[in-house]
Structures are given as structure tokens and as C-alpha cells.
Amino acid sequence: YKPNLFTYLSEYYAGISTLGMRPVVILDTSAVIDLEAAFRAKYGALKGHQHLEQLVTTTASRGLRFVIPPLILTEMEKHHLYHRRRNIPEISGATLRQLKEQAMHTHEGVTSWADPEEAASVDTFRYELRGLYYETISGRKATNDPISENDWSVIDTALAIAIYSAGVFKRNLEEGIQPPLRGCSRIAVLSSDRHITFGLEQAFNLPKGVRLADYLKPINIKEFDCNEP
């Protein structure tokens, strides 16, 4: 038995509008490929892009924001152009167009890392995470299929938004803003790549990363039924 991905996301995002939070979904290439394949298998070759519509529907009343790092968007374009399953592009033109139109390729949380006051702390955290990751990863993912720059871009983007949200929460408390989570993000990172989900899970094991689990959830979609509920 596998739980349904869209039901799980609906429950994850439930109630956040009351808290003043913003729903964010970060997509990596593996997630888009697998979601598209699931929808093609269920609804036909021309319907693969509808997984995006289902993601939007899951949180429609709460203003879902897609975030796709630039390196990942470039990777998706390559999979559209050069990678095929049963003679159909792994990522359809319709999906790629929708993502280019709808997705943010940066986020105020990412741009905030350029702030000199934040940069030193963030760089230390990223360095510590990379050290912990390489110490703990094992098996094929450590040797034959090592983590890539693209994978790190997803991890770093997710952490940037979570760190930014934690900072917003702290400022709201100091200024007496209610509800204190107003302007924070609740983030789901969808991936089929163990590098990404494992890397984010390791971040929560660092002292500076414990609080980030309040804003961020890595989701390995291989563990879910990805059809429309």
C-alpha cells in the first residue's frame, strides 16, 4: 500500500491560510518525469502535464507557488529535447511551457542569502551540511551515482526559503505581529532522487537545521501513489 501523494499534500497544507503561511512546492527533474509518467499511464500520452494542474488544485485556495532552481529548469529542457520514453519526450512540451510560465526561478528566501548579515551564517550551515552528507551517505549513491551540482541547487533553494521563513517568524514575534507565521512558507520538496531527500533530512540533524523542519518537508514520491485521488 502507498498513500496518495495529492491527498498527503492536501493534508500537509491544510489550515495554512489561517496561519498566514504561503504554500511552496519545489520540483526537481526526477519528480516531474515520474509524475508525468504516472499521469500518462492513467490518462493517456497527451495528459501527462495534468499532474501540474492537480498540484495546483491541491492547494488552489491557498495560492500555491512553484519554485524551480535555474539549473533544474535547464535540466528539464534537456529531458524534453533529448530523453524519450516510448518515443515520447520524458517531459512534455506542455509541462515545460506551464513550468516556465508558472514557476518562480528564485524566491525572496534565496535572494536574502546575499545579505551580508546572513551570508556568513548561511555559508557555515551549507558547509556543515555538506560535511555531514558525505560522512553519512553510503552505497551506490556515494560511489557510482554521487550527488550533483543540480541536486545541491534544490537542497540549497529549499533551505534558503526555510531559513528565510524562520527569520520572518522571529521578527514577527519580536514585533508582536499576529499570527506570528504570517509571511512564512510551508515548503514541500518533491523528488524521486534519494540524494535530495537524504540531504534535506541530514540538514534537520544539524543544530542550526532542527527548526527548519517546521517549514520544510522533503517528499520522495517513489513512496507514494501519484495518481489523482
Side-chain angles (χ1 to χ4, degrees):
Y1 167 78
K2 290 184 177 181
N4 183 269
L5 174 66
F6 300 102
T7 301
Y8 182 83
L9 286 172
S10 181
E11 293 170 353
Y12 176 59
Y13 288 120
I16 66 171
S17 56
T18 304
L19 297 172
M21 298 185 78
R22 304 166 178 171
V24 172
V25 169
I26 301 176
L27 292 165
D28 91 325
T29 305
S30 65
V32 172
I33 290 171
D34 287 350
L35 285 168
E36 183 140 339
F39 271 62
R40 284 176 179 171
K42 178 101 177 197
Y43 303 110
L46 300 179
K47 303 290 188 180
H49 65 282
Q50 290 185 350
H51 69 277
L52 295 177
E53 297 166 20
Q54 185 61 41
L55 283 171
V56 171
T57 301
T58 299
T59 56
S61 63
R62 307 177 187 95
L64 176 65
R65 307 165 87 183
F66 290 116
V67 176
I68 299 177
L71 286 176
I72 298 302
L73 186 64
T74 299
E75 186 178 64
M76 289 180 182
E77 290 175 331
K78 291 178 180 177
H79 277 267
H80 167 65
L81 291 171
Y82 306 119
H83 298 260
R84 292 178 173 267
R85 291 184 179 182
R86 299 181 180 176
N87 208 33
I88 301 173
E90 280 189 326
I91 296 177
S92 68
T95 293
L96 196 60
R97 281 193 299 274
Q98 283 184 252
L99 289 175
K100 285 182 175 181
E101 291 169 3
Q102 297 177 16
M104 303 168 63
H105 308 307
T106 187
H107 183 280
E108 62 262 40
V110 179
T111 56
S112 73
W113 283 29
D115 183 336
E117 293 183 9
E118 293 287 335
S121 174
V122 167
D123 283 346
T124 300
F125 180 67
R126 294 170 69 194
Y127 178 79
E128 291 172 351
L129 175 58
R130 281 156 172 75
L132 179 61
Y133 176 89
Y134 289 117
E135 285 176 8
T136 51
I137 192 71
S138 61
R140 186 178 67 86
K141 287 292 185 182
T143 53
N144 299 339
D145 180 24
I147 191 169
S148 69
E149 181 183 4
N150 288 11
D151 296 336
W152 279 118
S153 77
V154 175
I155 293 169
D156 287 343
T157 297
L159 293 174
I161 301 172
I163 289 170
Y164 177 80
S165 293
V168 170
F169 176 72
K170 181 180 178 182
R171 287 193 298 274
N172 286 349
L173 284 179
E174 292 171 349
E175 296 172 13
I177 294 173
Q178 295 294 329
L181 287 167
R182 182 179 301 281
C184 299
S185 296
R186 179 165 289 175
I187 311 144
V189 180
L190 304 187
S191 179
S192 299
D193 189 332
R194 181 61 180 149
H195 285 308
I196 292 172
T197 53
F198 180 78
L200 289 169
E201 288 162 0
Q202 292 307 301
F204 302 149
N205 290 327
L206 290 168
K208 294 178 182 177
V210 172
R211 61 181 177 151
L212 302 183
D214 294 337
Y215 308 95
L216 170 62
K217 184 175 289 294
I219 298 173
N220 186 338
I221 67 169
K222 289 186 180 297
E223 298 173 0
F224 290 84
D225 168 13
C226 294
N227 289 306
E228 184 179 8

